[in-house]
Amino acid sequence: MSVIGCGYLGASHAVGMAQLGHDVIALDIDKDKIAALSACELPFFEPGLGELLRKSVESGRLRFTTSYDEIAGSDVHFVCVGTPQLAGSFNADLRWVESAFVELAQRVTEPAIIVGRSTVPVGTARRMADVVRGHGSRAEVAWNPEFLREGRAVEDTLQPARLVFGVESPQAEQLLRAVYRPIIEDGSPVVVADYATAELVKVSANAFLATKISFINAIAQICEATGADVLRIAEALGYDNRIGRDFLGPGLGFGGGCLPKDIRALYACAADLRLADVATFIRQIDVINASRRDRALSLGRELLGGSYAEKRVCVLGAAFKPNTDDVRDSPALAVAVAAHQEGARVVVHDPVATESARGVHPEIEYADRIVMAARDADLIMLLTDWTDFADIDPVQLSGVVRCRNMLDGRNVLTPERWRSAGWTYRA
Ligand code: UDX
């Protein structure tokens, strides 16, 4: 089989398929990425994946290429290219999906199946099937959305919570069942649907997760105004298994390469369909989320006595969430940059994302160690919930900073511990 696109999804999928015993050739148009992967180097941080990449390459079941001609003879092609937000619009940018399908359609002459895994607006699979047919190819199109979380890509690839097959024929379903046989035998349920349903499952899943986060953050605002404790509320809500505790973590809100763009693409879809109430509902999820970044910034300003100007601010966290070096739409980095723009001298520390953050925001400072970032700080802002940060000793840090001000943007610290060490703690 072939895997087209070796980003987060494609690299994880290619390695996962090789682990299942398939003969995999993975393609990317980025020569540097292919050179790194061929040398068993992951171009991003992902726990456990590097080891499996090495094993897969050494076993001979996984190799990499930049040439579509080399993959043309595969029986199954998985399209795993990116669909980022289109600049200046809420829609997804589909240029890479379209070009992958055209490149394949021009070359795949024997019966084969082209399986889209990228997250796309509803209607894309049908359009791609028309493109393939239009080129006279005998390949069939299926859509098999992915649900993998960064930081847990291996688990989500090899033990997914479910598999969704958007297919138009029993043959395509059978082929996908054969591809995933070990996973299905391990107990992952399969949902078989039409194209539009399969496409919408993915976007709905992410929109629902985003809704849970914005919901608890909306309740957090009511709590701030009334003195109630949102963490206790989340705990109590979580015991109701109709609700569940996951994704009820209040704080700085969601970021990353998926939730923000998917919620915006769904908004654009609802607006295109002239479903005004639905569009408004979905839009508010993003609006509440963005407001959390402003709130963190204003809490920080308050702790600094009214202004960031000339102040030294230590930011703990640059990644959009722990266990990744991904800084796409990172709430932590957005707040750090905003504090810098308001005149603070900002020093950021992140266990693994410092280099990726420096790549996009070279104007702020970075430090390899927490104490270096915190030296002479007037304020510490904890903005990504890395477990390392929960263990920071407030007494030890007291000797390093200039003012003991802690803004815990992710509710990971124990307030009493910090307050009893003389810190002004806000969350
Ligand atoms: C998400 C989906 O979880 C995954 O199924 C899909 O395939 C891709 O998008 P990911 O982007 O890796 O995965 O991030 P996720 O773990 O969902 O976290 C998203 C954001 O929500 C992070 O910024 C995280 O910090 C934030 N979050 C999460 C909260 O603010 N509160 C929570 O309770 C949980």
Side-chain angles (χ1 to χ4, degrees), residues 146-151 156 202 206 209 213 217 245-259 262 320-322 331 385 410:
E146 55 80 25
F147 301 93
L148 63 91
R149 291 163 289 183
E150 298 190 13
D156 286 349
K202 170 59 194 278
N206 274 357
L209 295 172
I213 299 168
N217 278 330
R245 177 67 182 80
D246 286 350
F247 279 70
L248 286 185
L252 202 49
F254 59 82
C258 293
L259 261 50
D262 289 353
F320 82 96
K321 69 171 190 179
D385 40 347
R410 294 288 182 182

PDB file of all heavy atoms in Angstrom, residues 146-151 156 202 206 209 213 217 245-259 262 320-322 331 385 410, ligand 1:
ATOM      1  N   GLU A 146      -9.396   9.882  10.155  1.00  0.00           N
ATOM      2  CA  GLU A 146      -8.538   9.510  11.302  1.00  0.00           C
ATOM      3  C   GLU A 146      -8.971  10.328  12.513  1.00  0.00           C
ATOM      4  O   GLU A 146      -9.548  11.404  12.365  1.00  0.00           O
ATOM      5  CB  GLU A 146      -7.072   9.768  10.963  1.00  0.00           C
ATOM      6  CG  GLU A 146      -6.763  11.195  10.511  1.00  0.00           C
ATOM      7  CD  GLU A 146      -6.633  12.208  11.619  1.00  0.00           C
ATOM      8  OE1 GLU A 146      -6.308  11.764  12.742  1.00  0.00           O
ATOM      9  OE2 GLU A 146      -6.856  13.397  11.374  1.00  0.00           O
ATOM     10  N   PHE A 147      -8.642   9.805  13.679  1.00  0.00           N
ATOM     11  CA  PHE A 147      -9.014  10.506  14.915  1.00  0.00           C
ATOM     12  C   PHE A 147      -7.815  10.631  15.846  1.00  0.00           C
ATOM     13  O   PHE A 147      -7.979  10.726  17.059  1.00  0.00           O
ATOM     14  CB  PHE A 147     -10.140   9.753  15.635  1.00  0.00           C
ATOM     15  CG  PHE A 147     -11.394   9.607  14.803  1.00  0.00           C
ATOM     16  CD1 PHE A 147     -11.602   8.482  14.021  1.00  0.00           C
ATOM     17  CD2 PHE A 147     -12.344  10.608  14.790  1.00  0.00           C
ATOM     18  CE1 PHE A 147     -12.750   8.342  13.245  1.00  0.00           C
ATOM     19  CE2 PHE A 147     -13.498  10.484  14.018  1.00  0.00           C
ATOM     20  CZ  PHE A 147     -13.700   9.348  13.244  1.00  0.00           C
ATOM     21  N   LEU A 148      -6.603  10.572  15.293  1.00  0.00           N
ATOM     22  CA  LEU A 148      -5.486  10.450  16.231  1.00  0.00           C
ATOM     23  C   LEU A 148      -5.135  11.754  16.926  1.00  0.00           C
ATOM     24  O   LEU A 148      -5.233  12.833  16.362  1.00  0.00           O
ATOM     25  CB  LEU A 148      -4.259   9.807  15.593  1.00  0.00           C
ATOM     26  CG  LEU A 148      -3.516  10.422  14.447  1.00  0.00           C
ATOM     27  CD1 LEU A 148      -2.396  11.303  14.938  1.00  0.00           C
ATOM     28  CD2 LEU A 148      -2.927   9.288  13.629  1.00  0.00           C
ATOM     29  N   ARG A 149      -4.771  11.574  18.188  1.00  0.00           N
ATOM     30  CA  ARG A 149      -4.370  12.707  19.021  1.00  0.00           C
ATOM     31  C   ARG A 149      -2.857  12.806  19.002  1.00  0.00           C
ATOM     32  O   ARG A 149      -2.173  11.780  19.081  1.00  0.00           O
ATOM     33  CB  ARG A 149      -4.791  12.478  20.483  1.00  0.00           C
ATOM     34  CG  ARG A 149      -6.266  12.512  20.708  1.00  0.00           C
ATOM     35  CD  ARG A 149      -6.609  11.872  22.034  1.00  0.00           C
ATOM     36  NE  ARG A 149      -6.414  10.414  21.975  1.00  0.00           N
ATOM     37  CZ  ARG A 149      -6.692   9.577  22.983  1.00  0.00           C
ATOM     38  NH1 ARG A 149      -7.147  10.047  24.121  1.00  0.00           N
ATOM     39  NH2 ARG A 149      -6.495   8.276  22.851  1.00  0.00           N
ATOM     40  N   GLU A 150      -2.337  14.012  18.920  1.00  0.00           N
ATOM     41  CA  GLU A 150      -0.900  14.180  19.042  1.00  0.00           C
ATOM     42  C   GLU A 150      -0.514  13.760  20.454  1.00  0.00           C
ATOM     43  O   GLU A 150      -1.268  13.949  21.406  1.00  0.00           O
ATOM     44  CB  GLU A 150      -0.522  15.633  18.772  1.00  0.00           C
ATOM     45  CG  GLU A 150      -0.908  16.005  17.361  1.00  0.00           C
ATOM     46  CD  GLU A 150      -0.357  17.344  16.904  1.00  0.00           C
ATOM     47  OE1 GLU A 150       0.535  17.895  17.577  1.00  0.00           O
ATOM     48  OE2 GLU A 150      -0.832  17.823  15.872  1.00  0.00           O
ATOM     49  N   GLY A 151       0.654  13.166  20.570  1.00  0.00           N
ATOM     50  CA  GLY A 151       1.090  12.679  21.885  1.00  0.00           C
ATOM     51  C   GLY A 151       0.612  11.258  22.148  1.00  0.00           C
ATOM     52  O   GLY A 151       1.140  10.570  23.010  1.00  0.00           O
ATOM     53  N   ASP A 156      -3.525   5.580  19.186  1.00  0.00           N
ATOM     54  CA  ASP A 156      -4.722   5.885  18.398  1.00  0.00           C
ATOM     55  C   ASP A 156      -4.682   5.252  17.011  1.00  0.00           C
ATOM     56  O   ASP A 156      -5.720   5.044  16.388  1.00  0.00           O
ATOM     57  CB  ASP A 156      -4.909   7.404  18.274  1.00  0.00           C
ATOM     58  CG  ASP A 156      -5.412   8.012  19.575  1.00  0.00           C
ATOM     59  OD1 ASP A 156      -5.812   7.250  20.473  1.00  0.00           O
ATOM     60  OD2 ASP A 156      -5.392   9.249  19.697  1.00  0.00           O
ATOM     61  N   LYS A 202     -15.888  12.845  11.455  1.00  0.00           N
ATOM     62  CA  LYS A 202     -14.639  13.408  11.942  1.00  0.00           C
ATOM     63  C   LYS A 202     -14.820  14.844  12.451  1.00  0.00           C
ATOM     64  O   LYS A 202     -14.427  15.199  13.565  1.00  0.00           O
ATOM     65  CB  LYS A 202     -13.585  13.372  10.828  1.00  0.00           C
ATOM     66  CG  LYS A 202     -12.322  14.137  11.133  1.00  0.00           C
ATOM     67  CD  LYS A 202     -11.642  13.604  12.391  1.00  0.00           C
ATOM     68  CE  LYS A 202     -10.576  14.532  12.926  1.00  0.00           C
ATOM     69  NZ  LYS A 202      -9.317  14.429  12.274  1.00  0.00           N
ATOM     70  N   ASN A 206     -14.542  16.366  16.475  1.00  0.00           N
ATOM     71  CA  ASN A 206     -13.710  17.480  16.936  1.00  0.00           C
ATOM     72  C   ASN A 206     -14.559  18.652  17.418  1.00  0.00           C
ATOM     73  O   ASN A 206     -14.218  19.321  18.394  1.00  0.00           O
ATOM     74  CB  ASN A 206     -12.743  17.913  15.835  1.00  0.00           C
ATOM     75  CG  ASN A 206     -11.473  17.064  15.862  1.00  0.00           C
ATOM     76  OD1 ASN A 206     -11.322  16.206  16.733  1.00  0.00           O
ATOM     77  ND2 ASN A 206     -10.577  17.292  14.930  1.00  0.00           N
ATOM     78  N   LEU A 209     -15.738  17.846  20.932  1.00  0.00           N
ATOM     79  CA  LEU A 209     -14.667  18.034  21.927  1.00  0.00           C
ATOM     80  C   LEU A 209     -14.456  19.520  22.200  1.00  0.00           C
ATOM     81  O   LEU A 209     -14.323  19.950  23.364  1.00  0.00           O
ATOM     82  CB  LEU A 209     -13.362  17.394  21.428  1.00  0.00           C
ATOM     83  CG  LEU A 209     -13.390  15.870  21.274  1.00  0.00           C
ATOM     84  CD1 LEU A 209     -12.132  15.364  20.587  1.00  0.00           C
ATOM     85  CD2 LEU A 209     -13.557  15.196  22.639  1.00  0.00           C
ATOM     86  N   ILE A 213     -14.996  21.794  25.803  1.00  0.00           N
ATOM     87  CA  ILE A 213     -14.004  22.703  26.393  1.00  0.00           C
ATOM     88  C   ILE A 213     -14.592  24.113  26.534  1.00  0.00           C
ATOM     89  O   ILE A 213     -14.476  24.744  27.587  1.00  0.00           O
ATOM     90  CB  ILE A 213     -12.710  22.737  25.538  1.00  0.00           C
ATOM     91  CG1 ILE A 213     -12.076  21.344  25.463  1.00  0.00           C
ATOM     92  CG2 ILE A 213     -11.709  23.723  26.122  1.00  0.00           C
ATOM     93  CD1 ILE A 213     -10.968  21.215  24.431  1.00  0.00           C
ATOM     94  N   ASN A 217     -15.468  26.311  29.909  1.00  0.00           N
ATOM     95  CA  ASN A 217     -14.878  27.642  30.038  1.00  0.00           C
ATOM     96  C   ASN A 217     -15.950  28.724  30.178  1.00  0.00           C
ATOM     97  O   ASN A 217     -15.718  29.752  30.821  1.00  0.00           O
ATOM     98  CB  ASN A 217     -13.938  27.928  28.861  1.00  0.00           C
ATOM     99  CG  ASN A 217     -12.567  27.299  29.097  1.00  0.00           C
ATOM    100  OD1 ASN A 217     -12.137  27.167  30.242  1.00  0.00           O
ATOM    101  ND2 ASN A 217     -11.882  26.915  28.035  1.00  0.00           N
ATOM    102  N   ARG A 245     -15.862  13.120  32.343  1.00  0.00           N
ATOM    103  CA  ARG A 245     -14.941  14.153  32.839  1.00  0.00           C
ATOM    104  C   ARG A 245     -13.977  14.641  31.750  1.00  0.00           C
ATOM    105  O   ARG A 245     -13.455  15.754  31.841  1.00  0.00           O
ATOM    106  CB  ARG A 245     -14.157  13.565  34.035  1.00  0.00           C
ATOM    107  CG  ARG A 245     -13.104  14.472  34.631  1.00  0.00           C
ATOM    108  CD  ARG A 245     -13.755  15.690  35.294  1.00  0.00           C
ATOM    109  NE  ARG A 245     -12.757  16.596  35.835  1.00  0.00           N
ATOM    110  CZ  ARG A 245     -12.059  17.481  35.133  1.00  0.00           C
ATOM    111  NH1 ARG A 245     -12.228  17.557  33.818  1.00  0.00           N
ATOM    112  NH2 ARG A 245     -11.195  18.276  35.728  1.00  0.00           N
ATOM    113  N   ASP A 246     -13.737  13.812  30.717  1.00  0.00           N
ATOM    114  CA  ASP A 246     -12.763  14.195  29.694  1.00  0.00           C
ATOM    115  C   ASP A 246     -13.182  15.471  28.963  1.00  0.00           C
ATOM    116  O   ASP A 246     -14.356  15.684  28.683  1.00  0.00           O
ATOM    117  CB  ASP A 246     -12.623  13.089  28.639  1.00  0.00           C
ATOM    118  CG  ASP A 246     -11.851  11.898  29.177  1.00  0.00           C
ATOM    119  OD1 ASP A 246     -11.271  12.018  30.273  1.00  0.00           O
ATOM    120  OD2 ASP A 246     -11.855  10.857  28.499  1.00  0.00           O
ATOM    121  N   PHE A 247     -12.184  16.286  28.642  1.00  0.00           N
ATOM    122  CA  PHE A 247     -12.406  17.527  27.902  1.00  0.00           C
ATOM    123  C   PHE A 247     -13.277  18.527  28.642  1.00  0.00           C
ATOM    124  O   PHE A 247     -13.884  19.403  28.060  1.00  0.00           O
ATOM    125  CB  PHE A 247     -12.907  17.256  26.475  1.00  0.00           C
ATOM    126  CG  PHE A 247     -11.753  16.909  25.578  1.00  0.00           C
ATOM    127  CD1 PHE A 247     -11.093  15.697  25.722  1.00  0.00           C
ATOM    128  CD2 PHE A 247     -11.279  17.808  24.639  1.00  0.00           C
ATOM    129  CE1 PHE A 247      -9.989  15.382  24.939  1.00  0.00           C
ATOM    130  CE2 PHE A 247     -10.166  17.507  23.856  1.00  0.00           C
ATOM    131  CZ  PHE A 247      -9.526  16.289  24.004  1.00  0.00           C
ATOM    132  N   LEU A 248     -13.317  18.383  29.973  1.00  0.00           N
ATOM    133  CA  LEU A 248     -13.939  19.417  30.799  1.00  0.00           C
ATOM    134  C   LEU A 248     -12.849  20.133  31.593  1.00  0.00           C
ATOM    135  O   LEU A 248     -13.091  20.575  32.715  1.00  0.00           O
ATOM    136  CB  LEU A 248     -14.981  18.805  31.752  1.00  0.00           C
ATOM    137  CG  LEU A 248     -16.304  18.366  31.124  1.00  0.00           C
ATOM    138  CD1 LEU A 248     -17.273  17.887  32.211  1.00  0.00           C
ATOM    139  CD2 LEU A 248     -16.953  19.499  30.321  1.00  0.00           C
ATOM    140  N   GLY A 249     -11.652  20.209  31.032  1.00  0.00           N
ATOM    141  CA  GLY A 249     -10.562  20.924  31.705  1.00  0.00           C
ATOM    142  C   GLY A 249     -10.653  22.408  31.380  1.00  0.00           C
ATOM    143  O   GLY A 249     -10.411  22.804  30.244  1.00  0.00           O
ATOM    144  N   PRO A 250     -11.037  23.249  32.359  1.00  0.00           N
ATOM    145  CA  PRO A 250     -11.147  24.682  32.088  1.00  0.00           C
ATOM    146  C   PRO A 250      -9.760  25.317  32.032  1.00  0.00           C
ATOM    147  O   PRO A 250      -8.798  24.762  32.554  1.00  0.00           O
ATOM    148  CB  PRO A 250     -11.930  25.208  33.287  1.00  0.00           C
ATOM    149  CG  PRO A 250     -11.596  24.274  34.398  1.00  0.00           C
ATOM    150  CD  PRO A 250     -11.328  22.934  33.771  1.00  0.00           C
ATOM    151  N   GLY A 251      -9.664  26.458  31.410  1.00  0.00           N
ATOM    152  CA  GLY A 251      -8.381  27.160  31.357  1.00  0.00           C
ATOM    153  C   GLY A 251      -8.225  27.916  30.056  1.00  0.00           C
ATOM    154  O   GLY A 251      -9.181  28.524  29.558  1.00  0.00           O
ATOM    155  N   LEU A 252      -7.031  27.811  29.499  1.00  0.00           N
ATOM    156  CA  LEU A 252      -6.689  28.618  28.338  1.00  0.00           C
ATOM    157  C   LEU A 252      -7.340  28.148  27.043  1.00  0.00           C
ATOM    158  O   LEU A 252      -7.256  28.810  26.021  1.00  0.00           O
ATOM    159  CB  LEU A 252      -5.162  28.605  28.214  1.00  0.00           C
ATOM    160  CG  LEU A 252      -4.474  29.697  27.447  1.00  0.00           C
ATOM    161  CD1 LEU A 252      -4.952  31.077  27.852  1.00  0.00           C
ATOM    162  CD2 LEU A 252      -2.967  29.588  27.659  1.00  0.00           C
ATOM    163  N   GLY A 253      -7.980  26.985  27.087  1.00  0.00           N
ATOM    164  CA  GLY A 253      -8.759  26.547  25.938  1.00  0.00           C
ATOM    165  C   GLY A 253      -7.969  25.775  24.904  1.00  0.00           C
ATOM    166  O   GLY A 253      -6.808  25.450  25.097  1.00  0.00           O
ATOM    167  N   PHE A 254      -8.635  25.499  23.785  1.00  0.00           N
ATOM    168  CA  PHE A 254      -8.033  24.603  22.805  1.00  0.00           C
ATOM    169  C   PHE A 254      -7.241  25.345  21.734  1.00  0.00           C
ATOM    170  O   PHE A 254      -7.490  26.504  21.438  1.00  0.00           O
ATOM    171  CB  PHE A 254      -9.092  23.713  22.155  1.00  0.00           C
ATOM    172  CG  PHE A 254     -10.211  24.430  21.429  1.00  0.00           C
ATOM    173  CD1 PHE A 254     -10.040  24.893  20.140  1.00  0.00           C
ATOM    174  CD2 PHE A 254     -11.447  24.611  22.043  1.00  0.00           C
ATOM    175  CE1 PHE A 254     -11.075  25.531  19.462  1.00  0.00           C
ATOM    176  CE2 PHE A 254     -12.493  25.247  21.379  1.00  0.00           C
ATOM    177  CZ  PHE A 254     -12.303  25.715  20.091  1.00  0.00           C
ATOM    178  N   GLY A 255      -6.266  24.606  21.191  1.00  0.00           N
ATOM    179  CA  GLY A 255      -5.466  25.093  20.068  1.00  0.00           C
ATOM    180  C   GLY A 255      -5.067  23.886  19.253  1.00  0.00           C
ATOM    181  O   GLY A 255      -5.722  22.854  19.295  1.00  0.00           O
ATOM    182  N   GLY A 256      -3.967  24.018  18.500  1.00  0.00           N
ATOM    183  CA  GLY A 256      -3.464  22.887  17.723  1.00  0.00           C
ATOM    184  C   GLY A 256      -3.871  22.954  16.264  1.00  0.00           C
ATOM    185  O   GLY A 256      -4.539  23.896  15.825  1.00  0.00           O
ATOM    186  N   GLY A 257      -3.487  21.908  15.546  1.00  0.00           N
ATOM    187  CA  GLY A 257      -3.711  21.882  14.105  1.00  0.00           C
ATOM    188  C   GLY A 257      -5.092  21.369  13.728  1.00  0.00           C
ATOM    189  O   GLY A 257      -5.412  21.310  12.536  1.00  0.00           O
ATOM    190  N   CYS A 258      -5.911  20.961  14.710  1.00  0.00           N
ATOM    191  CA  CYS A 258      -7.188  20.328  14.348  1.00  0.00           C
ATOM    192  C   CYS A 258      -8.420  21.047  14.873  1.00  0.00           C
ATOM    193  O   CYS A 258      -9.236  21.537  14.094  1.00  0.00           O
ATOM    194  CB  CYS A 258      -7.186  18.882  14.820  1.00  0.00           C
ATOM    195  SG  CYS A 258      -5.994  17.886  13.930  1.00  0.00           S
ATOM    196  N   LEU A 259      -8.585  21.081  16.212  1.00  0.00           N
ATOM    197  CA  LEU A 259      -9.833  21.613  16.760  1.00  0.00           C
ATOM    198  C   LEU A 259     -10.179  23.007  16.209  1.00  0.00           C
ATOM    199  O   LEU A 259     -11.304  23.225  15.740  1.00  0.00           O
ATOM    200  CB  LEU A 259      -9.790  21.616  18.300  1.00  0.00           C
ATOM    201  CG  LEU A 259     -10.493  20.443  18.988  1.00  0.00           C
ATOM    202  CD1 LEU A 259     -10.082  19.100  18.423  1.00  0.00           C
ATOM    203  CD2 LEU A 259     -10.272  20.472  20.491  1.00  0.00           C
ATOM    204  N   ASP A 262     -11.042  22.847  12.419  1.00  0.00           N
ATOM    205  CA  ASP A 262     -12.224  22.037  12.125  1.00  0.00           C
ATOM    206  C   ASP A 262     -13.511  22.735  12.558  1.00  0.00           C
ATOM    207  O   ASP A 262     -14.531  22.664  11.876  1.00  0.00           O
ATOM    208  CB  ASP A 262     -12.123  20.659  12.805  1.00  0.00           C
ATOM    209  CG  ASP A 262     -11.059  19.787  12.141  1.00  0.00           C
ATOM    210  OD1 ASP A 262     -10.521  20.199  11.098  1.00  0.00           O
ATOM    211  OD2 ASP A 262     -10.757  18.701  12.673  1.00  0.00           O
ATOM    212  N   PHE A 320       0.896  23.522  22.027  1.00  0.00           N
ATOM    213  CA  PHE A 320      -0.550  23.755  22.192  1.00  0.00           C
ATOM    214  C   PHE A 320      -1.154  22.843  23.248  1.00  0.00           C
ATOM    215  O   PHE A 320      -2.244  23.091  23.747  1.00  0.00           O
ATOM    216  CB  PHE A 320      -1.289  23.624  20.855  1.00  0.00           C
ATOM    217  CG  PHE A 320      -1.620  22.220  20.429  1.00  0.00           C
ATOM    218  CD1 PHE A 320      -2.878  21.672  20.697  1.00  0.00           C
ATOM    219  CD2 PHE A 320      -0.697  21.443  19.753  1.00  0.00           C
ATOM    220  CE1 PHE A 320      -3.213  20.384  20.297  1.00  0.00           C
ATOM    221  CE2 PHE A 320      -1.006  20.146  19.349  1.00  0.00           C
ATOM    222  CZ  PHE A 320      -2.266  19.616  19.623  1.00  0.00           C
ATOM    223  N   LYS A 321      -0.411  21.785  23.600  1.00  0.00           N
ATOM    224  CA  LYS A 321      -0.813  20.891  24.683  1.00  0.00           C
ATOM    225  C   LYS A 321       0.435  20.099  25.072  1.00  0.00           C
ATOM    226  O   LYS A 321       1.443  20.140  24.347  1.00  0.00           O
ATOM    227  CB  LYS A 321      -1.957  19.974  24.258  1.00  0.00           C
ATOM    228  CG  LYS A 321      -1.563  18.925  23.231  1.00  0.00           C
ATOM    229  CD  LYS A 321      -2.682  17.918  23.021  1.00  0.00           C
ATOM    230  CE  LYS A 321      -2.204  16.745  22.189  1.00  0.00           C
ATOM    231  NZ  LYS A 321      -3.232  15.728  21.980  1.00  0.00           N
ATOM    232  N   PRO A 322       0.432  19.358  26.185  1.00  0.00           N
ATOM    233  CA  PRO A 322       1.632  18.606  26.550  1.00  0.00           C
ATOM    234  C   PRO A 322       1.909  17.432  25.612  1.00  0.00           C
ATOM    235  O   PRO A 322       1.022  17.019  24.852  1.00  0.00           O
ATOM    236  CB  PRO A 322       1.315  18.088  27.960  1.00  0.00           C
ATOM    237  CG  PRO A 322      -0.066  18.460  28.277  1.00  0.00           C
ATOM    238  CD  PRO A 322      -0.651  19.249  27.173  1.00  0.00           C
ATOM    239  N   PRO A 331      -2.385  28.225  22.265  1.00  0.00           N
ATOM    240  CA  PRO A 331      -2.851  29.272  23.164  1.00  0.00           C
ATOM    241  C   PRO A 331      -1.697  29.857  23.985  1.00  0.00           C
ATOM    242  O   PRO A 331      -1.643  31.068  24.210  1.00  0.00           O
ATOM    243  CB  PRO A 331      -3.859  28.549  24.076  1.00  0.00           C
ATOM    244  CG  PRO A 331      -4.295  27.343  23.304  1.00  0.00           C
ATOM    245  CD  PRO A 331      -3.103  26.950  22.480  1.00  0.00           C
ATOM    246  N   ASP A 385      -0.109  22.421  30.056  1.00  0.00           N
ATOM    247  CA  ASP A 385      -0.131  21.561  31.249  1.00  0.00           C
ATOM    248  C   ASP A 385       0.806  20.351  31.175  1.00  0.00           C
ATOM    249  O   ASP A 385       0.371  19.206  31.355  1.00  0.00           O
ATOM    250  CB  ASP A 385      -1.568  21.130  31.600  1.00  0.00           C
ATOM    251  CG  ASP A 385      -2.421  20.781  30.379  1.00  0.00           C
ATOM    252  OD1 ASP A 385      -2.008  21.098  29.249  1.00  0.00           O
ATOM    253  OD2 ASP A 385      -3.499  20.205  30.558  1.00  0.00           O
ATOM    254  N   ARG A 410      -3.735  26.681  33.359  1.00  0.00           N
ATOM    255  CA  ARG A 410      -4.254  25.338  33.078  1.00  0.00           C
ATOM    256  C   ARG A 410      -4.712  24.612  34.337  1.00  0.00           C
ATOM    257  O   ARG A 410      -4.968  23.404  34.310  1.00  0.00           O
ATOM    258  CB  ARG A 410      -3.180  24.500  32.368  1.00  0.00           C
ATOM    259  CG  ARG A 410      -2.803  25.000  30.981  1.00  0.00           C
ATOM    260  CD  ARG A 410      -3.905  24.736  29.982  1.00  0.00           C
ATOM    261  NE  ARG A 410      -3.558  25.173  28.631  1.00  0.00           N
ATOM    262  CZ  ARG A 410      -4.390  25.062  27.612  1.00  0.00           C
ATOM    263  NH1 ARG A 410      -5.602  24.557  27.765  1.00  0.00           N
ATOM    264  NH2 ARG A 410      -4.037  25.479  26.424  1.00  0.00           N
TER     265      ARG A 410
HETATM  266  C1  UDX B   1      -7.704  16.404  18.323  1.00  0.00           C
HETATM  267  C2  UDX B   1      -8.685  15.241  18.588  1.00  0.00           C
HETATM  268  O1  UDX B   1      -8.664  14.901  19.977  1.00  0.00           O
HETATM  269  C3  UDX B   1      -8.309  14.034  17.734  1.00  0.00           C
HETATM  270  O2  UDX B   1      -9.249  12.997  17.923  1.00  0.00           O
HETATM  271  C4  UDX B   1      -8.293  14.473  16.268  1.00  0.00           C
HETATM  272  O3  UDX B   1      -7.937  13.419  15.407  1.00  0.00           O
HETATM  273  C5  UDX B   1      -7.319  15.625  16.072  1.00  0.00           C
HETATM  274  O4  UDX B   1      -7.683  16.702  16.947  1.00  0.00           O
HETATM  275  P1  UDX B   1      -5.223  16.989  19.114  1.00  0.00           P
HETATM  276  O5  UDX B   1      -5.221  18.142  18.152  1.00  0.00           O
HETATM  277  O6  UDX B   1      -4.005  16.133  19.199  1.00  0.00           O
HETATM  278  O7  UDX B   1      -6.425  15.988  18.782  1.00  0.00           O
HETATM  279  O8  UDX B   1      -5.526  17.636  20.530  1.00  0.00           O
HETATM  280  P2  UDX B   1      -6.491  17.304  21.773  1.00  0.00           P
HETATM  281  O9  UDX B   1      -5.871  16.321  22.669  1.00  0.00           O
HETATM  282  O10 UDX B   1      -7.865  17.041  21.316  1.00  0.00           O
HETATM  283  O11 UDX B   1      -6.445  18.733  22.512  1.00  0.00           O
HETATM  284  C6  UDX B   1      -6.893  19.907  21.829  1.00  0.00           C
HETATM  285  C7  UDX B   1      -6.754  21.145  22.658  1.00  0.00           C
HETATM  286  O12 UDX B   1      -7.723  21.184  23.681  1.00  0.00           O
HETATM  287  C8  UDX B   1      -5.395  21.334  23.351  1.00  0.00           C
HETATM  288  O13 UDX B   1      -4.980  22.667  23.150  1.00  0.00           O
HETATM  289  C9  UDX B   1      -5.697  21.061  24.807  1.00  0.00           C
HETATM  290  O14 UDX B   1      -4.834  21.754  25.656  1.00  0.00           O
HETATM  291  C10 UDX B   1      -7.129  21.574  24.910  1.00  0.00           C
HETATM  292  N1  UDX B   1      -7.921  20.978  26.000  1.00  0.00           N
HETATM  293  C11 UDX B   1      -8.134  19.631  26.017  1.00  0.00           C
HETATM  294  C12 UDX B   1      -8.480  21.790  26.978  1.00  0.00           C
HETATM  295  O15 UDX B   1      -8.299  23.014  26.961  1.00  0.00           O
HETATM  296  N2  UDX B   1      -9.237  21.214  27.961  1.00  0.00           N
HETATM  297  C13 UDX B   1      -9.473  19.884  28.010  1.00  0.00           C
HETATM  298  O16 UDX B   1     -10.164  19.438  28.936  1.00  0.00           O
HETATM  299  C14 UDX B   1      -8.893  19.060  27.022  1.00  0.00           C
END
